[in-house]
Amino acid sequence: MRRMVAEHRLHPADLILPAFVREGATEPVPISAMPGVVQHTRDTLRKAAVEAREAGVSGIMLFGVPEEAKKDGLGTAGTDPDGILQVAIRDVKAEVGDELVIMSDLCLDEYTDHGHCGVLDSEGRVDNDATLERYAEMAQVQADAGVHVVGPSGMMDGQVGVIRDALDQTGHENVSVLAYTAKYASAFYGPFREAVGSSLQGDRKTYQQDPANLRESMRELALDLAEGADMVMVKPALPYLDVLAKIAESVDVPVAAYQISGEYAMVEAAAANGWIDRDRAIMETLTGIKRAGANMILTYWATEAARAVTAA
Ligand code: PBG
């Protein structure tokens, strides 16, 4: 009876798998703060994409981890056609073609030696407009590599418009933009820093949002839509379900939520201690995010959860 009258249910196609690929890796590298998640080799990334596809997951969001020596102030490896993310996009595309929606993180923090999401001015502050030029180049190389959807996550003002223009001007009209619309300066990104080997000292409070603010997210939403976002995202997910619900109510584009590294780590850590029932907790968080209004959920449990809902 409960199954029959359920108001919301997860479907494998709701789920998108974020995945890390590390340049030069010959074995997958475990991420200690995210038990069960690895930095993939090119080879194991292809396998993970196939497994996700077979489980019914609809998309994969790729993050590149360059060799440490390739990081610099401008994040040059992020716009190198042979940079790790571009290589990974081509690999996954060759493996699964259009069977899985291939998405890419469009941000500089994985590639800069200072770890910020943009380039810095002479006083060490993130330079919004200089960063936009870098994002335009990134959009083009990622699209050239065959990505279906770019995910600008750097929270620079004007990023969606600049990226949309860059894509349109380079013959990539069909590449979609998933805007990180409401992205909060969150403690829950902690494990991600290890996942991408980030060099960041300090924080991102000058460009990510204050957890105290909801109205600000609605303004970011209006701007992203006006600039041409095809889909919008709220991130993190669990502490911001009210933001997600409000955005989902007020737009006519698909809405995504990103259940981030710290949300994953929190459940895994408690489960490893025997403090909570892991499988139930995972499903409860995902169902809650869907109930709040997400059409798509990025989660490190995507493949496992897709199998579980299929079996249920
Ligand atoms: C920025 C980016 C971050 C995440 C996704 N894209 C890190 C940040 O903004 O600090 C976090 C994802 C996660 O924590 O799982 N490139």
Side-chain angles (χ1 to χ4, degrees):
M1 183 73 90
R2 285 169 82 90
R3 204 162 72 88
M4 187 172 74
V5 300
E7 295 172 36
H8 299 280
R9 66 184 98 239
L10 285 166
H11 187 277
D14 298 333
L15 304 173
I16 297 168
L17 177 69
F20 306 103
V21 56
R22 177 165 174 165
E23 188 168 29
T26 49
E27 292 290 330
V29 182
I31 300 164
S32 62
M34 301 176 74
V37 179
V38 299
Q39 294 174 331
H40 282 290
T41 69
R42 289 178 58 185
D43 220 36
T44 64
L45 175 68
R46 280 195 290 259
K47 290 190 187 117
V50 170
E51 278 176 21
R53 170 69 197 111
E54 284 171 359
V57 167
S58 61
I60 188 165
M61 171 66 83
L62 301 174
F63 294 87
V65 185
E67 280 168 11
E68 202 55 35
K70 294 201 179 149
K71 292 186 181 180
D72 58 24
L74 297 175
T76 313
T79 45
D80 178 351
D82 294 319
I84 182 62
L85 180 54
Q86 286 66 255
V87 167
I89 292 168
R90 287 197 292 269
D91 283 346
V92 173
K93 187 94 177 224
E95 190 72 43
V96 295
D98 295 336
E99 292 286 293
L100 202 56
V101 177
I102 304 170
M103 309 175 149
S104 50
D105 189 54
L106 199 166
C107 193
L108 284 172
D109 66 316
E110 292 97 324
Y111 310 98
T112 51
D113 52 12
H114 46 72
H116 274 292
C117 293
V119 297
L120 306 182
D121 66 16
S122 55
E123 286 169 56
R125 293 174 304 207
V126 174
D127 185 334
N128 190 93
D129 292 3
T131 301
L132 293 182
E133 290 173 30
R134 300 288 296 128
Y135 285 0
E137 285 176 63
M138 284 189 100
Q140 185 184 347
V141 291
Q142 293 178 0
D144 285 344
V147 85
H148 299 115
V149 178
V150 293
S153 64
M155 294 305 279
M156 297 301 131
D157 293 337
Q159 62 182 9
V160 171
V162 164
I163 288 167
R164 183 71 267 161
D165 284 349
L167 291 170
D168 290 349
Q169 283 161 18
T170 54
H172 298 301
E173 297 87 353
N174 292 333
V175 173
S176 303
V177 180
L178 166 60
Y180 283 60
T181 290
K183 181 172 176 184
Y184 287 89
S186 172
F188 290 96
Y189 300 133
F192 178 89
R193 303 276 147 88
E194 181 196 344
V196 298
S198 168
S199 321
L200 184 70
Q201 307 285 330
D203 60 55
R204 307 196 195 288
K205 287 182 186 162
T206 62
Y207 43 102
Q208 297 182 348
Q209 291 170 233
D210 185 339
N213 294 355
L214 171 60
R215 200 182 311 134
E216 185 184 7
S217 289
M218 302 315 286
R219 183 152 49 90
E220 293 281 359
L221 175 67
L223 290 167
D224 283 353
L225 291 174
E227 290 173 29
D230 298 289
M231 308 173 231
V232 295
M233 178 147 75
V234 175
K235 176 182 179 180
L238 275 194
Y240 301 96
L241 292 183
D242 59 326
V243 181
L244 176 60
K246 188 155 183 194
I247 287 184
E249 249 168 43
S250 56
V251 294
D252 55 7
V253 297
V255 177
Y258 196 147
Q259 182 178 56
I260 64 164
S261 56
E263 299 180 66
Y264 175 92
M266 168 161 86
V267 172
E268 291 288 352
N273 277 293
W275 295 337
I276 54 169
D277 178 333
R278 177 181 179 278
D279 296 358
R280 278 185 59 200
I282 292 171
M283 283 309 161
E284 188 174 330
T285 60
L286 292 171
T287 304
I289 295 165
K290 177 134 189 202
R291 191 193 61 242
N295 301 113
M296 302 103 84
I297 306 171
L298 286 86
T299 173
Y300 299 97
W301 291 303
T303 303
E304 176 184 340
R307 288 183 187 136
V309 298
T310 305

